[in-house]
């Protein structure tokens, strides 16, 4: 672990995006274009609270393109897995759009629509770029996971847009906050919801009932989920009240416990060397280290690296201050051990090992009230159940 810890300890700010102080917007989500193994990604996209998407050069953080095609909050952005020029976004306006970042046009290259009254609160695209899945907000008694063929969208915003392949509607009973396809199996997808459940599906099965492989209970509303482990057979979950859970799906069919880690509130369990832990942002599995890491922060923008150990999360390191408000999202690039962060101070920050910041100027401050805190519910105490 010494080498891994050194990577984090050596992180310094290399660049930060410049933003006019009279146009401060929250930066809510982030993703980088996918590159061949051994090469670092070259584009980074962020979604903004003013419903626009900005695309930057990853190394210089120069603005490359901006898209303004949604009429309601953007719930997520994703670059295609096999085509680094295609960027997808989902929105509460009931559309999912594909953008060609090479094009001079700011119109969407493809538009995917759901069913009437759908408001998309999360989405993802499979590792082979063939299937898109989006989760919806609960309307009356209905919550859906909507699926499309990624090749079938229209390039016009018209009533005749390509209809979805189908929906799952029986496995969640509140807003679906997370959808995550497996990194290497295009038929496996996980979903998380305000109902506290994390469901794992095999979408190659003909019915939703057959597709549901397992249900894990986080005891709270789900904020973030991701895959972990050497064969990505583990799934982890962060909750809106800062809980952390790790489940091993390989144990579904044996007598070993599926729950590897259960922390109801990481803020109460961790002792930090610097600052305070006030929220968890997300996590990532580091293949070279074979370790799961989680990034947390403070309301004033302080970052904290946490390591997932047998007993739970352990504090590792806090880099120097880079933000002045809540950090909403990050992207870790394992090819060059760089980190990108964005948040409510309107800043996109690039961190690199032993870097020297080349951007000059004062950091803007952001004192608007945060909408990070979302409604929470208390749920049953059974932490998982297997469909089998």
């Amino acid at each position: 672990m010494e080498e891994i810890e050194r990577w984090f300890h050596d992180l310094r700010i290399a660049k930060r995006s410049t933003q006019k102080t009279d146009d401060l917007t929250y930066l809510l989500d982030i993703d980088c274009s996918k590159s061949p193994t051994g090469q670092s990604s070259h584009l980074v996209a962020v979604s903004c609270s003013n419903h626009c998407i900005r695309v930057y050069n990853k190394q210089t953080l120069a603005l490359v393109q901006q898209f303004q095609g949604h009429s309601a909050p953007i719930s997520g952005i994703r670059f295609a897995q096999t085509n680094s020029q295609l960027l997808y976004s989902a929105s509460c306006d009931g559309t999912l759009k594909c953008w060609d970042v090479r094009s001079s046009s700011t119109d969407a290259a493809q538009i995917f629509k759901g069913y009437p009254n759908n408001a998309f609160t999360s989405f993802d695209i499979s590792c082979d770029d063939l299937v898109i899945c989006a989760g919806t907000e609960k309307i009356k008694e209905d919550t859906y996971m909507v699926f499309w063929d990624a090749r079938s969208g229209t390039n016009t915003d018209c009533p005749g847009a390509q209809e979805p392949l189908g929906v799952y509607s029986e496995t969640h009973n509140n807003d679906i906050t997370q959808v995550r396809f497996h990194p290497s199996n295009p038929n496996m997808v996980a979903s998380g919801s305000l109902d506290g459940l994390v469901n794992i599906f095999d979408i190659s099965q003909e019915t939703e009932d057959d597709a549901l492989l397992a249900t894990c209970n986080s005891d709270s509303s789900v904020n973030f989920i991701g895959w972990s482990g050497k064969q990505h057979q583990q799934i982890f979950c962060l909750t809106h009240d800062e809980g952390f859970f790790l489940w091993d799906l390989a144990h579904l069919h044996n007598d070993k416990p599926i729950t590897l880690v259960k922390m109801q509130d990481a803020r109460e369990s961790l002792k930090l060397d610097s600052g305070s832990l006030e929220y968890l942002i997300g996590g990532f599995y580091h293949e070279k280290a074979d370790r799961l890491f989680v990034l947390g922060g403070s309301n004033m923008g302080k970052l904290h690296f946490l390591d997932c150990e047998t007993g739970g999360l352990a504090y590792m390191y806090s880099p120097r201050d880079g933000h002045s408000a809540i950090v909403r999202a990050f992207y870790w690039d394992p090819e060059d051990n760089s980190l990108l962060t964005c948040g409510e101070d309107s800043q996109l920050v690039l961190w690199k090992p032993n870097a020297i910041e080349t951007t000059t100027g004062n950091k803007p401050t952001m004192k608007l009230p945060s909408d990070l805190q979302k409604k929470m519910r208390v749920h049953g105490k059974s932490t998982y159940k297997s469909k089998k």
Side-chain angles (χ1 to χ4, degrees), residues 80-310:
Q81 304 292 327
T82 59
N83 186 339
S84 62
Q85 306 302 325
L86 296 182
L87 174 67
Y88 293 84
S89 60
S91 170
C92 293
D93 64 11
T95 65
L96 193 148
K97 298 187 176 184
C98 175
W99 314 89
D100 187 343
V101 297
R102 298 167 300 184
S103 174
S104 59
S105 172
T106 56
D107 295 332
Q110 290 177 291
I111 299 174
F112 304 85
K113 285 192 172 182
Y115 298 105
N117 299 320
N118 281 171
F120 299 125
T121 50
S122 56
F123 93 106
D124 201 8
I125 186 166
S126 61
C127 61
D128 58 6
D129 286 338
L130 295 182
V131 178
I132 300 170
C133 177
T136 72
E137 186 178 66
K138 182 180 181 180
I139 302 296
K140 294 183 179 179
E141 298 302 319
D142 297 322
T143 305
Y144 299 109
M145 293 175 65
V146 186
F147 296 86
W148 296 268
D149 182 335
R151 301 162 294 182
S152 66
T154 178
N155 60 0
T156 58
D157 194 2
C158 65
Q162 179 71 32
E163 292 187 355
L165 294 171
V167 301
Y168 289 167
S169 60
E170 303 297 329
T171 44
H172 286 296
N173 60 27
N174 211 328
D175 300 0
I176 297 174
T177 56
Q178 289 280 283
V179 174
R180 285 288 183 271
F181 275 96
H182 191 275
S184 59
N185 183 347
N187 291 322
M188 187 171 288
V189 63
S191 61
S193 168
L194 292 181
D195 63 14
L197 304 181
V198 176
N199 291 325
I200 298 90
F201 300 91
D202 176 2
I203 63 172
S204 67
Q205 302 301 310
E206 293 186 0
T207 68
E208 179 178 357
D209 187 57
D210 291 336
L212 182 62
L213 299 177
T215 296
C216 304
N217 192 345
S218 71
D219 299 330
S220 182
S221 56
V222 175
N223 181 37
F224 185 97
I225 61 174
W227 297 90
S228 183
K230 288 186 176 180
Q231 278 75 47
H232 296 101
Q233 292 184 313
Q234 299 173 355
I235 192 160
F236 65 94
C237 164
L238 311 180
T239 67
H240 283 113
D241 52 2
E242 318 316 330
F244 173 79
F245 295 80
L246 177 65
W247 299 285
D248 193 333
L249 304 181
H251 296 171
L252 284 174
H253 308 299
N254 59 39
D255 295 332
K256 296 180 180 179
I258 185 176
T259 302
L260 301 182
V261 176
K262 179 180 179 179
M263 298 179 70
Q264 296 291 357
D265 191 340
R267 296 168 298 184
E268 298 178 352
S269 306
L270 293 171
K271 303 295 184 182
L272 275 61
D273 293 341
S274 175
S276 60
L277 178 67
E278 293 173 293
Y279 56 90
L280 301 177
I281 307 167
F284 64 98
Y285 173 68
H286 198 297
E287 293 192 8
K288 183 176 180 180
D290 187 25
R291 298 297 289 256
L292 172 61
F293 299 103
V294 172
L295 196 61
S298 74
N299 292 332
M300 297 306 296
K302 188 73 174 178
L303 294 174
H304 308 295
F305 281 99
L306 311 174
D307 178 25
C308 181
E309 299 180 343
T310 303

Side-chain angles (χ1 to χ4, degrees), residues 327-376:
V327 178
R328 285 299 201 102
F330 73 92
Y331 183 92
W332 173 264
D333 190 336
E335 298 300 338
D336 62 358
N337 299 320
S338 64
L339 176 73
L340 283 152
T341 54
C342 66
E344 296 184 7
D345 58 1
S346 191
Q347 289 290 287
L348 173 65
V349 179
L350 173 64
W351 309 72
K352 288 186 171 183
N354 299 311
I356 299 176
E357 185 173 358
T358 57
T359 303
T360 59
N362 295 326
K363 295 184 294 182
T365 60
M366 196 75 161
K367 295 186 178 180
L368 297 177
S370 167
D371 61 351
L372 178 73
Q373 300 300 321
K374 299 183 179 180
K375 54 188 174 181
M376 292 177 284

